[in-house]
Amino acid sequence: MSNTKFPDGFMWGGATAANQFEGGYNLGGKGLACADLFTGGTHTEPRRITAKLEESTFYPSHEAVDFYHHYKEDIRLMAEAGFKVFRMSINWTRIFPTGKEAEPNEEGLQFYEDVFNELKKYQIEPLVTIAHFDIPLALTNEVNGWASRDLIDYYLHFCEVIFKRYKHLVKHWLTFNEINTSTMEIGNYLSLGIRHAEGDFLHQKDDPTVRYQALHHQFVASAKAVKLGHSINPDFMIGCMIAYMPRYPRTCEPSDVLLAKQTEAMHSHFCGDVHVKGYYPFYANTYFKDNGITIEFAPEDEQVLREGTVDFYTFSYYLTLCASNDPAYKNSGKSVIGGAENPYLKTNDWGMQTDPVGLRIALNDLYTRYNIPLMVVENGLGAFDKLEDDGTINDPYRIDYFKEHILQMHKAIQDGVDLIGFTIWGCIDLVSASTGEMAKRYGIIYVDKYDDGTGDYSRKKKASYYWYKDVISSNGENGLEE
Ligand code: BG6
């Protein structure tokens, strides 16, 4: 018997997000979301945000890979691979087209009910992200997205409707995807729906006070959603989702170590600390004071945060970062997140430095810090895949990537970490969030869709599909040989 068997009941599966996967952006009564105004980009040229829909512009998420019409086929493929869990998000504007309606859009509600019933047919658990980079455009245009406290009530109304409607179909929920994205400029439009300017989405005009205030509104909304969810169904498991990026010091020079710890605290730990512990950590308050940022708390907010802590902690894991004070290295990293390059790691075609051992370190650190169940809900390799003439897709690089990361998860479990599941990102090829490309493929299932908008949406299993299926059916006993 192999020694890489995972615990019984381990939740293997895949993950997606509505705005990158579903398409049907104007079907079934759906309203416009911020994500619908993202143009395509390339790995060297960032995507843009347009002020309104432009006729001659191509918006890759509008059709995405058309899960909207392919959900039965997609779920059958997931079932055949043995998925135990499927992470997906609910498009807010499918339920509330402008975010402000008193009554939900029945057609939207029915669509997700059909999806959940299809999953149930194959005993696949849905793991639902309530907000995955998805904000009704009307709320951005009228009140500047999460910068306004009004968003808390709109969001809770959305939560109440979906919690009640799906209370017997969905048990696991995540309140916000990668909420800590908003500790960086990139979060302004993407995660908060804050509109400062059109144009390049990576480098928007930034007001940190507005950004952190908006993030505070999301913390309060999340805490209220946890409490509300538990009152609707006490069996709900409601978690947070963090883009977890460990920071290493580039050298053991103490000031590099300090810089690594400080940046890791604010960018990777701050949001998890608020979600899990229920209060702002001291270092965040110091950071705000040092940077002239004042967060307005309503009188009840402290109590709301304390009473709405999450049941489990989930995170995405793609890369680690390095911190350096040395001008020669400081900004030598090639990913959109920046930092210094790590000379010991491989870099993918999009500048991300992949680091399997870093995942074991992350799991140990997070479990030490929080002591609640953990789940890796995104991990994967964006790569240029080649569709061969005979219709096969051979992606040994992806198999190697997953093998290395899964082995480190297994080691972390042996270390004593309570890791309950793993969902690979973009299990079926989808639109990249940062670049808008189709060419950056993560899936174990190939979709015939390309950056110029062509393609017939047909699905094909990649070599990694068969490999992952073997891993799942043996619960880790097969496919992980070192
Ligand atoms: C995470 C997001 O940041 O990483 C996903 O939750 C995203 O939405 C994924 O797609 C991979 O990033 P990208 O930019 O390669 O699509």
Side-chain angles (χ1 to χ4, degrees), residues 112-175:
Y112 293 108
E113 188 164 319
D114 294 344
V115 169
F116 297 141
N117 277 321
E118 197 66 19
L119 289 168
K120 196 172 169 190
K121 194 163 115 188
Y122 298 102
Q123 284 124 40
I124 299 174
E125 279 273 333
L127 165 61
V128 173
T129 318
I130 299 168
H132 189 130
F133 299 158
D134 214 343
I135 298 121
L137 185 64
L139 296 181
T140 284
N141 290 342
E142 289 167 33
V143 294
N144 206 17
W146 283 96
S148 163
R149 203 175 160 95
D150 295 352
L151 268 272
I152 298 174
D153 287 341
Y154 292 133
Y155 173 87
L156 282 171
H157 184 38
F158 171 45
C159 289
E160 185 179 359
V161 166
I162 58 176
F163 285 161
K164 286 187 173 158
R165 175 76 170 232
Y166 308 127
K167 71 176 181 179
H168 300 304
L169 290 169
V170 179
K171 178 177 176 190
H172 292 89
W173 303 87
L174 303 176
T175 53

Side-chain angles (χ1 to χ4, degrees), residues 31 103 115 133 165 206 231 245 254 276 344 398 407 461:
E103 295 303 322
V115 169
F133 299 158
R165 175 76 170 232
D206 180 46
S231 74
M245 291 174 269
V276 181
Y344 300 100
R398 185 168 289 110
L407 276 171
K461 296 168 186 168

Side-chain angles (χ1 to χ4, degrees), residues 20 132-133 177-178 318 378 425 432-434 440 442:
Q20 295 167 251
H132 189 130
F133 299 158
N177 179 65
E178 293 190 336
Y318 292 98
E378 281 187 33
W425 175 247
S432 156
S434 59
K440 186 183 192 183
Y442 284 90

Side-chain angles (χ1 to χ4, degrees), residues 319-373:
L319 72 164
T320 52
L321 298 163
C322 252
S324 170
N325 286 296
D326 184 338
Y329 296 113
K330 227 177 158 84
N331 297 312
S332 53
K334 313 251 173 348
S335 82
V336 292
I337 313 292
E341 194 165 25
N342 185 331
Y344 300 100
L345 299 178
K346 285 188 262 183
T347 306
N348 78 3
D349 288 325
W350 283 264
M352 283 189 187
Q353 294 208 277
T354 56
D355 182 3
V357 176
L359 180 53
R360 180 180 181 186
I361 300 171
L363 286 163
N364 273 276
D365 282 352
L366 290 168
Y367 196 54
T368 304
R369 196 171 187 111
Y370 300 128
N371 205 30
I372 60 174

